[in-house]
């Protein structure tokens, strides 16, 4: 920067370390701030509030009885903020207002404070990077500062006037221009930025940034009415309420105003040791775990960001948090949190609070937990796969579709120590009625993440045995038919097995419920792999045929289980015509395959077509035979 005034004297230096001043291109700086450091020009209001609050803090360190006054106003394309803070001398105005990296918060500059007081005071400041009023040039054409120092009552008031061409002037004013210590800053909006100086916009930004600041701030829109309060303290989570219900209602209203939704519940985030206090609101609608929620963070009362995505663990995707902190470190733009060891520790502690809320619901309020899981169970399942602690906490409560109905694993495990699961919804729906009738515990793992979670269940509950459902396990639970009956039906079973041999399917006779199901198609992963190997063998060349043939093992085959309790099966078994029996068995196979909703191979489609046409031919042939008998009469 250039100056039309003589800069303050500098201490002598040795020849080898002659000091130099940086020359700053203000237009380049504004471009840097606007397009690379700050996400929006709206931050200029934060800079004004920040400087005023820090000035009051510094004044109180010098004189605890000093008045507190911060008044913000906007009209006619100008934005003005006045405070009763520490103020500046002419030398400080040169050194601090126009120099990047310098800050009155660093101590020195003639402050009558010892080092301990200085450190305590610095901890209360909002500003840390010394950019200060220069950041306001993102919207301002001109900045005028009138200030008077409280440190030196004999010092005259000072005017610092800067424009966006990079020049500034400093001059002393008569004492009557500002009788009391403090500072007044007036911004004049530059062309193209007038929208940021509209009174309604300035008041909105001031409330957004400064509602929790420690000093009372008012706003005047220049209309002649009473100034309106900007601050709204204490924070809603720190207020006293007559009943817990009243507090929940107030928090719900705060969430609706802040985030636009009414929460399922609220979770207190109170970490006194870490200087963190706030609340997390549980989302009322499902959300993807991959979505990085934006949390709202205040630093010593000043809004830092409403898009902090590194505040909570990734698994806590179902909450939106708002909190105030005096320990976490901001980034240079003061629009996010610096991801350091302190933030990592706070993140873990906040995650523990959310886990504690879940554990409390599980222990004392299962209805609220059920309401939460009804909305967020899919996301919780997704995260629990990678978070052993969350898995152990939530797995017993997560809902699953089972052969005993929809219930938690904890309820299901109480009735079944051997747990079977199916990998497809279709397979489960086919087997569930039969499994329930015969006491077989089956879980539908065809939904997203369920199979992965069930595979992890023994790690949480070692006494449980979890296996994928196979044809043998189901067949063993079904009632065998008497030996004499099975021997009498041996010719029928031989015909059925011969007909389905080409499909790689065995035939078994059992008696099971419900009676309305004539046949059940069962296979498992090994059977499907064998079937796929056989299909590949049929289409492979001689080399691959030899290799695939050598891989043939003793893997179990798919099974068509015929229900001897079903009257249709008994009638088919009693048919004297072997060809008709074979066609009927193929029809049963096709019907059971369709009921299982498995994809049909070309060979299956051919079989279904052949069986359908065979039954039609038999039906029409029988009709022709009866008609011929009638004609003979």
């Amino acid at each position: 920067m250039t100056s039309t005034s003589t800069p303050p004297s500098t201490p002598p230096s040795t020849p080898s370390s002659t000091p130099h001043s940086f020359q700053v291109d203000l237009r380049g700086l504004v471009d840097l701030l606007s397009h690379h450091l700050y996400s929006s020009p709206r931050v200029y209001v934060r800079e004004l509030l920040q400087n005023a609050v820090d000035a009051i803090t510094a004044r109180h360190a010098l004189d605890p009885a000093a008045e507190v006054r911060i008044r913000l106003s906007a009209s006619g394309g100008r934005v003005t903020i006045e405070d009763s803070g520490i103020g500046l001398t002419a030398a400080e105005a040169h050194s601090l207002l126009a120099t990047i990296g310098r800050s009155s918060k660093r101590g020195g500059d003639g402050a009558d404070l010892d080092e301990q007081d200085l450190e305590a005071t610095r901890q209360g400041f909002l500003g840390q990077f010394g950019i200060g009023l220069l950041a306001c040039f993102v919207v301002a054409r001109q900045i005028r500062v009138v200030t008077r120092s409280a440190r030196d009552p004999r010092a005259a008031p000072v005017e610092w006037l800067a424009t966006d061409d990079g020049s500034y002037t400093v001059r002393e004013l008569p004492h009557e221009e500002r009788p009391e210590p403090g500072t007044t800053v007036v911004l004049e909006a530059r062309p193209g930025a007038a929208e940021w100086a509209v009174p309604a916009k300035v008041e909105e930004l001031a409330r957004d940034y400064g509602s929790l600041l420690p000093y009372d701030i008012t706003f005047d829109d220049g209309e002649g009415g009473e100034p309106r309060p900007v601050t709204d303290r204490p924070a809603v989570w720190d207020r006293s309420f007559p009943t817990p219900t009243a507090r929940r209602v107030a928090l719900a209203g705060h969430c609706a105003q802040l985030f636009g939704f009414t929460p399922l519940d609220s979770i207190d985030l109170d970490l006194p040791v870490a200087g963190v206090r706030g609340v997390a609101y549980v989302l009322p609608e499902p959300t993807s775990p991959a979505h990085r929620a934006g949390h709202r963070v205040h630093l010593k009362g000043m809004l830092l960001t409403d898009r902090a995505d590194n505040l909570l663990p990734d698994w806590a995707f179902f909450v939106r948090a708002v909190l105030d902190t005096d320990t976490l470190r901001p980034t240079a733009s003061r629009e996010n949190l610096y991801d350091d060891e302190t933030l990592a520790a706070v993140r873990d502690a906040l995650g523990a609070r959310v886990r504690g809320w879940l554990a409390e619901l599980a222990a004392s309020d299962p209805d609220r937990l059920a309401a939460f899981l009804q909305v967020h169970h899919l996301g919780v399942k997704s995260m629990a796969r990678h978070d052993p602690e969350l898995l152990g906490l939530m797995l017993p409560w997560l809902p699953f579709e089972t052969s005993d109905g929809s219930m938690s694993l904890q309820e299901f495990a109480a009735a079944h120590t051997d747990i079977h699961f199916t990998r497809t919804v279709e397979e489960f729906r086919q087997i569930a009625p039969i499994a329930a009738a015969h006491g077989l515990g089956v879980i539908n793992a065809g939904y997203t993440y369920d199979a992965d979670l069930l595979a992890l269940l023994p790690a949480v509950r070692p006494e449980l045995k979890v296996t994928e459902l196979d044809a043998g396990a189901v067949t063993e639970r079904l009632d065998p038919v008497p030996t004499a009956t099975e021997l009498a039906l041996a010719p029928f079973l031989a015909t059925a097995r011969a007909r389905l041999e080409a499909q790689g399917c065995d035939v078994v006779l059992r008696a099971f419920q419900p009676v309305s199901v004539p046949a059940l198609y069962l296979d498992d992963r090994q059977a499907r792999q064998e079937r796929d190997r056989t299909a590949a063998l049929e289409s492979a060349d001689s080399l691959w045929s030899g290799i695939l043939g050598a891989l043939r093992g003793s893997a179990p085959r798919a099974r068509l289980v015929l229900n001897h309790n079903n009257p249709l099966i008994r009638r088919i078994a009693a048919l004297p015509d072997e060809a008709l029996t074979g066609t009927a068995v193929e029809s049963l196979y096709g019907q059971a395959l369709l009921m299982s909703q498995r994809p049909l191979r070309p060979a299956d489609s051919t079989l279904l077509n052949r069986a359908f046409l065979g039954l039609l031919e038999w039906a029409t042939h029988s009709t022709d035979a009866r008609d011929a008998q009638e004609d003979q009469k």
Side-chain angles (χ1 to χ4, degrees):
M1 275 191 167
T2 59
S3 171
T4 60
S5 178
T6 303
S9 61
T10 57
S13 58
T14 62
S16 61
S17 60
T18 302
H20 296 277
S21 298
F22 285 104
Q23 297 298 312
V24 178
D25 179 355
L26 186 56
R27 294 184 185 276
L29 174 64
V30 170
D31 179 74
L32 175 67
L33 296 177
S34 300
H35 298 100
H36 302 284
L37 186 62
Y38 295 139
S39 62
S40 166
R42 70 198 304 268
V43 298
Y44 88 92
V45 173
R46 182 191 67 196
E47 297 297 334
L48 292 176
L49 294 175
Q50 173 179 294
N51 286 342
V53 169
D54 285 348
I56 295 289
T57 300
R59 177 77 182 274
H60 270 203
L62 185 69
D63 179 10
E67 69 166 328
V68 173
R69 184 182 70 256
I70 302 177
R71 181 168 178 170
L72 181 67
S73 61
S75 63
R78 286 188 173 91
V79 178
T80 303
I81 187 166
E82 181 183 4
D83 67 69
S84 58
I86 194 68
L88 299 172
T89 64
E92 290 168 346
H94 269 298
S95 177
L96 302 175
L97 294 180
T99 307
I100 292 181
R102 295 292 302 278
S103 171
S104 60
K105 296 87 173 176
R106 300 181 186 274
D109 295 308
D112 297 326
L113 299 172
D114 61 30
E115 187 61 31
Q116 183 176 359
D117 290 337
L118 280 172
E119 181 59 30
T121 302
R122 280 195 293 266
Q123 292 300 317
F125 288 129
L126 298 172
Q128 299 291 332
F129 295 100
I131 294 176
L133 282 177
L134 295 183
C136 294
F137 276 113
V138 296
V139 298
R141 182 188 68 82
Q142 175 181 279
I143 301 175
R144 181 174 185 260
V145 178
V146 176
T147 181
R148 183 165 188 170
S149 174
R151 293 192 180 107
D152 184 0
R154 295 171 299 177
V158 176
E159 178 195 68
W160 181 87
L161 183 65
T163 59
D164 61 0
D165 64 1
S167 64
Y168 73 92
T169 61
V170 176
R171 66 187 179 100
E172 292 187 351
L173 301 175
H175 284 271
E176 59 269 17
E177 287 280 342
R178 186 173 186 94
E180 300 295 330
T183 301
T184 300
V185 180
V186 181
L187 305 185
E188 184 177 325
R190 58 183 173 80
E195 62 178 299
W196 299 104
V198 174
K201 171 62 75 173
V202 175
E203 183 176 14
E204 175 192 345
L205 294 176
R207 292 182 188 279
D208 196 36
Y209 279 115
S211 62
L212 299 184
L213 286 173
Y215 308 120
D216 290 336
I217 302 172
T218 60
F219 177 79
D220 185 355
D221 60 7
E223 299 286 331
E226 285 293 320
R228 295 182 289 270
V230 168
T231 46
D232 185 21
R233 301 186 318 275
V236 64
W237 54 82
D238 283 330
R239 296 174 190 172
S240 298
F241 295 94
T243 64
T245 300
R247 185 173 189 271
R248 276 199 302 271
V249 171
L251 288 173
H254 177 251
C255 177
Q257 180 182 13
L258 207 59
F259 295 124
F261 64 85
T262 300
L264 283 178
D265 205 349
S266 57
I267 307 167
D268 284 319
L269 304 177
D270 184 12
L271 303 174
V273 175
V276 172
R277 179 79 174 141
V279 64
Y281 295 114
V282 181
L283 293 166
E285 301 291 339
T287 185
S288 169
H291 176 67
R292 304 278 288 187
H295 305 293
R296 192 175 176 89
V297 179
H298 296 257
L299 179 62
K300 299 173 184 151
M302 180 72 77
L303 177 66
L304 184 69
T305 179
D306 57 5
R307 297 188 297 273
D309 58 5
N310 56 355
L311 181 65
L312 290 175
D314 290 341
W315 59 260
F317 62 92
F318 48 82
V319 299
R320 294 285 297 278
V322 53
L323 56 80
D324 188 24
T325 175
D326 57 14
T327 60
L328 298 179
R329 179 183 171 192
T331 58
S333 67
R334 298 183 60 77
E335 294 188 310
N336 211 333
L337 294 171
Y338 189 78
D339 212 334
D340 56 11
E341 292 181 359
T342 301
L343 178 58
V346 168
R347 182 164 51 235
D348 290 342
L350 293 177
R353 289 301 171 94
V354 178
R355 281 196 178 93
W357 170 78
L358 289 171
E360 182 181 351
L361 288 188
S364 61
D365 201 340
D367 290 339
R368 284 169 67 198
L369 179 64
F372 164 75
L373 290 176
Q374 186 175 7
V375 175
H376 294 295
H377 67 276
L378 188 61
V380 172
K381 286 179 178 180
S382 172
M383 299 306 297
R385 296 175 303 153
H386 310 294
D387 189 321
E389 188 174 350
L390 184 64
L391 174 68
L393 177 64
M394 296 306 300
L395 192 54
W397 304 99
L398 291 172
F400 287 83
E401 185 178 8
T402 78
S403 53
D404 294 346
S406 181
M407 61 180 62
S408 69
L409 282 180
Q410 185 160 298
E411 295 172 308
F412 190 71
H416 305 278
T417 54
D418 287 346
I419 296 177
H420 302 273
F421 65 91
T422 63
R423 289 190 176 273
T424 66
V425 175
E426 295 76 20
E427 185 180 3
F428 172 81
R429 290 177 179 169
Q430 183 194 23
I431 199 63
I434 298 167
H438 293 270
L440 185 66
V442 180
I443 293 178
N444 180 7
Y447 296 118
T448 307
Y449 311 129
D450 285 4
D452 294 338
L453 290 175
L454 288 173
L456 296 172
L457 180 58
V460 180
R461 298 282 299 274
E463 73 277 11
L464 298 178
K465 181 181 178 183
V466 180
T467 56
E468 183 175 354
L469 184 69
D470 59 61
V474 178
T475 306
E476 289 173 3
R477 288 297 186 104
L478 304 181
D479 297 332
V481 297
T483 303
T485 302
E486 189 165 6
L487 288 174
L489 296 177
F492 161 68
L493 292 175
T495 299
R497 288 165 182 155
R499 277 301 183 101
L500 298 183
E501 175 64 29
Q503 311 306 123
C505 182
D506 198 2
V507 178
V508 180
L509 186 65
R510 292 289 188 272
F512 57 87
Q513 300 294 327
V515 175
S516 59
V517 178
L520 179 67
Y521 180 83
L522 297 175
D523 67 354
D524 51 31
R525 181 183 298 180
Q526 289 180 310
R528 289 190 289 271
Q529 290 174 344
E530 178 64 18
R531 189 170 66 177
D532 292 341
R533 189 201 61 79
T534 302
L537 180 63
E538 294 173 354
S539 59
D541 57 26
S542 57
L543 174 62
W544 280 107
S545 294
I547 296 174
L548 292 172
L551 295 177
R552 180 187 297 273
S554 57
R557 303 201 303 168
R559 298 182 183 185
L560 181 67
V561 183
L562 303 178
N563 187 3
H564 190 254
N565 290 338
N566 183 273
L568 176 62
I569 296 297
R570 295 187 180 187
R571 289 197 296 270
I572 292 175
L575 288 174
D577 187 339
E578 183 176 331
L580 179 58
T581 299
T583 300
V585 168
E586 289 179 340
S587 299
L588 289 171
Y589 170 83
Q591 186 265 350
L593 200 60
L594 291 173
M595 289 296 294
S596 70
Q597 299 188 35
R598 289 173 172 80
L600 297 180
R601 299 172 298 170
D604 295 329
S605 299
T606 301
L607 178 143
L608 279 172
N609 185 59
R610 182 174 67 243
F612 177 71
L613 293 176
L615 289 176
L616 285 178
E617 183 177 350
W618 175 83
T620 54
H621 176 75
S622 299
T623 300
D624 292 342
R626 285 194 298 272
D627 290 342
Q629 291 177 356
E630 291 294 331
D631 292 341
Q632 290 177 357
K633 294 179 180 179

